[in-house]
Amino acid sequence: MSQAATISNQTKRWQEMDAAHHIHPFTTHKDLAQSGARVITKAKGVYLYDSEGKRLIDGMAGLWCVQVGYGREELAEAGYKALKELPYYNTFFQTTHPYVAELSQKLADVTPKGIERFFFANSGSEGNDSAIKIIRYFWNLQGKPDKKIIIARNKAYHGVTLGAASLSGLTSMHPQADLPLPGFVHIACPYWYGEGGDMTPEAFGLKTAKALEEKILELGADNVAAFVAEPIQGAGGLIFPPKGYWAEIQAICKKYDVLLHLDEVICGFGRTGNWFGADTLGIEPDMMNMAKGLSSGYQPIAAVGLGKRVGDVIFNSDQEWSHGFTYSGHPVAAAVALANIELIQKEKLVEKAGGEIGAHFQKRLAELNDHPLVGETRGVGLLGAIELVKNKKTRERFAEDMNVGMQCRIHCFANGLVMRAIGDTMVLSPPLVVSISEIDEIFDLARRCIDLTARDLGIS
Ligand SMILES: *Cc1c(COP(=O)(O)O)cnc(C)c1O
């Protein structure tokens, strides 16, 4: 969007440097060069401030990650202490340090029962690529080298590295890099509102779960290594599985001896009102990936957690595991992640997201259902989605090129709210420290911006 005409020379200088030399993720650079990047200079609590002094309430916790809010001294202190004592050492070649040992113990305490060993990476994408290598290595050690195909879902988001992007089912990510790689297959996702037609949500959920069994039978169970999925799909548009979906998926994985790798990068660390999406949805994964809320985004760190079955096979092998990053278990990142989890525990943020704070958020979200532009709202804990539609009854969407969601997002930015648009699905995922009055501010602004969008469309 274009900025106000009168912006400071300092902001202009940053925008010029940025436009000339900075390659942005997921950005059309031609458009950005015209509008000039918004420069965010500081943040505190649930608020962001740009270089022109404008305040925004962050309804997205950055990129779904800032669980404890911005500007927390506890995390800054933990990072500073580690930087002074041990700014770097690696965990290769039979070496460790207190920060990564203590973080591993802490993760064993908070992750679902059975997940007990952790490998560290620097991003959710690296976590998933590491998980793919673990899955392949596991089946090789088991003497089943043909069991290699990984099944994921349409609209899944698992990251951008070659493996993670191949897992991802957002097809716009694929052609530029000739993806997916061989050995990655996608099935339907349980997006009832968009694709469920006349079926009930439960029947549609069951049908999309059965699609996993159909695909396994088509490929041959002896060729299928794993099913990879987010408990609730995030960047694909906040897709909540209907009741019964996960029970069916788990039964199918068991029946055909297909590993279940859960991508908890968004759902983890309290987002859904429990520590993990697995807890909220009753899932028992063989292995899982964590990032984002693991450090509240204060440091780049990810963790792949392994259950006993996969972990034992790899840990009992005589082979060296030929994988690991220079910064796996980086002391500063590990120290900050540990302080973050301790803060989440001390402030009972998981209990709040599953209790009165989450309940108030869901109440305010559901109130938007009376709006003529809103076809459905859905959410759990501190996650919420709002479907903007042409026809509430028939669930008919606006034409894609009308960019209704983007229009709404632009109104949000102009009015001081960060709310993301995924197509015409508006999504919210605020910091877990959000207060009742800040939730009210978010939804008052959201309604105003949906009103403005409706006005643009001539609907009221
Ligand atoms: C963000 C995300 C990733 C990728 O994490 P990066 O740190 O951006 O590499 C993977 N999986 C899910 C579910 C995500 O939301």
Side-chain angles (χ1 to χ4, degrees), residues 26 63-65 122-128 156-161 164 168 229-236 262-267 289-292 300-302 420:
F26 289 97
L63 282 177
W64 328 73
C65 57
N122 310 293
S123 69
S125 302
E126 287 179 13
N128 277 327
Y157 185 74
H158 297 296
V160 296
T161 44
S168 294
E230 304 151 84
I232 294 158
Q233 286 175 257
L262 216 50
D263 189 344
E264 290 267 11
V265 169
I266 286 176
C267 293
N289 186 29
M290 295 157 266
K292 296 196 169 115
I301 184 168
R420 182 160 161 182

Side-chain angles (χ1 to χ4, degrees), residues 234-359:
L238 271 194
I239 298 165
F240 291 83
K243 247 202 197 78
Y245 176 84
W246 270 109
E248 186 65 24
I249 289 284
Q250 290 189 96
I252 294 167
C253 288
K254 276 223 171 69
K255 182 170 174 192
Y256 298 100
D257 199 16
V258 165
L259 294 175
L260 175 57
H261 171 54
L262 216 50
D263 189 344
E264 290 267 11
V265 169
I266 286 176
C267 293
F269 300 95
R271 178 57 59 198
T272 69
N274 289 289
W275 274 95
F276 290 90
D279 304 321
T280 298
L281 291 159
I283 308 168
E284 290 176 20
D286 293 293
M287 49 196 286
M288 60 194 278
N289 186 29
M290 295 157 266
K292 296 196 169 115
L294 167 57
S295 66
S296 282
Y298 279 54
Q299 285 286 296
I301 184 168
V304 181
L306 302 184
K308 193 167 166 49
R309 182 180 181 203
V310 178
D312 276 357
V313 169
I314 290 172
F315 274 71
N316 295 336
S317 166
D318 295 329
Q319 287 182 44
E320 173 182 285
W321 187 39
S322 301
H323 180 73
F325 302 102
T326 301
Y327 302 137
S328 280
H330 190 285
V332 178
V336 171
L338 181 62
N340 172 60
I341 297 171
E342 285 170 351
L343 193 56
I344 290 173
Q345 288 178 318
K346 184 169 151 240
E347 299 192 340
K348 301 203 180 317
L349 296 182
V350 179
E351 292 80 355
K352 284 182 182 167
E356 66 159 335
I357 292 291

Side-chain angles (χ1 to χ4, degrees), residues 74-379:
E74 295 90 337
L75 274 61
E77 291 291 342
Y80 182 59
K81 187 162 166 280
L83 276 167
K84 282 199 297 187
E85 275 176 18
L86 186 69
Y88 175 73
Y89 202 67
N90 66 73
T91 51
F92 287 36
F93 317 132
Q94 310 202 2
T95 304
T96 193
H97 53 74
Y99 308 101
V100 75
E102 288 178 23
L103 176 60
S104 301
Q105 174 66 58
K106 179 63 85 179
L107 285 175
D109 294 343
V110 300
T111 49
K113 198 166 131 273
I115 301 291
E116 50 195 37
R117 294 184 176 107
F118 302 91
F119 172 77
F120 294 96
N122 310 293
S123 69
S125 302
E126 287 179 13
N128 277 327
D129 271 49
S130 301
I132 293 165
K133 288 175 80 172
I134 290 169
I135 290 163
R136 290 184 173 190
Y137 182 34
F138 171 81
W139 288 117
N140 285 339
L141 285 171
Q142 296 286 72
K144 294 192 174 172
D146 293 335
K147 222 166 151 60
K148 286 293 159 54
I149 299 172
I150 300 184
I151 302 176
R153 297 180 294 181
N154 297 338
K155 295 185 183 289
Y157 185 74
H158 297 296
V160 296
T161 44
L162 288 170
S166 295
L167 286 176
S168 294
L170 293 164
T171 48
S172 59
M173 294 171 63
H174 290 155
Q176 290 177 357
D178 307 325
L179 295 173
L181 298 172
F184 294 88
V185 167
H186 296 88
I187 58 170
C189 64
Y191 182 29
W192 175 79
Y193 191 83
E195 297 165 0
D198 295 334
M199 300 180 87
T200 64
E202 286 72 22
F204 183 69
L206 205 61
K207 181 182 158 196
T208 48
K210 291 273 189 214
L212 176 60
E213 182 164 39
E214 285 159 24
K215 189 53 84 177
I216 293 170
L217 291 173
E218 176 194 322
L219 298 166
D222 291 344
N223 300 316
V224 179
F227 177 63
V228 177
E230 304 151 84
I232 294 158
Q233 286 175 257
L238 271 194
I239 298 165
F240 291 83
K243 247 202 197 78
Y245 176 84
W246 270 109
E248 186 65 24
I249 289 284
Q250 290 189 96
I252 294 167
C253 288
K254 276 223 171 69
K255 182 170 174 192
Y256 298 100
D257 199 16
V258 165
L259 294 175
L260 175 57
H261 171 54
L262 216 50
D263 189 344
E264 290 267 11
V265 169
I266 286 176
C267 293
F269 300 95
R271 178 57 59 198
T272 69
N274 289 289
W275 274 95
F276 290 90
D279 304 321
T280 298
L281 291 159
I283 308 168
E284 290 176 20
D286 293 293
M287 49 196 286
M288 60 194 278
N289 186 29
M290 295 157 266
K292 296 196 169 115
L294 167 57
S295 66
S296 282
Y298 279 54
Q299 285 286 296
I301 184 168
V304 181
L306 302 184
K308 193 167 166 49
R309 182 180 181 203
V310 178
D312 276 357
V313 169
I314 290 172
F315 274 71
N316 295 336
S317 166
D318 295 329
Q319 287 182 44
E320 173 182 285
W321 187 39
S322 301
H323 180 73
F325 302 102
T326 301
Y327 302 137
S328 280
H330 190 285
V332 178
V336 171
L338 181 62
N340 172 60
I341 297 171
E342 285 170 351
L343 193 56
I344 290 173
Q345 288 178 318
K346 184 169 151 240
E347 299 192 340
K348 301 203 180 317
L349 296 182
V350 179
E351 292 80 355
K352 284 182 182 167
E356 66 159 335
I357 292 291
H360 188 69
F361 181 89
Q362 295 303 326
K363 176 175 157 272
R364 292 298 315 258
L365 175 69
E367 282 169 13
L368 290 171
N369 277 305
D370 68 4
H371 197 284
L373 205 55
V374 174
E376 180 188 70
T377 64
R378 52 180 183 269

Side-chain angles (χ1 to χ4, degrees), residues 135 144 392 398 405 407 451:
I135 290 163
K144 294 192 174 172
K392 279 168 87 91
F398 291 103
Q407 195 56 37
D451 280 344

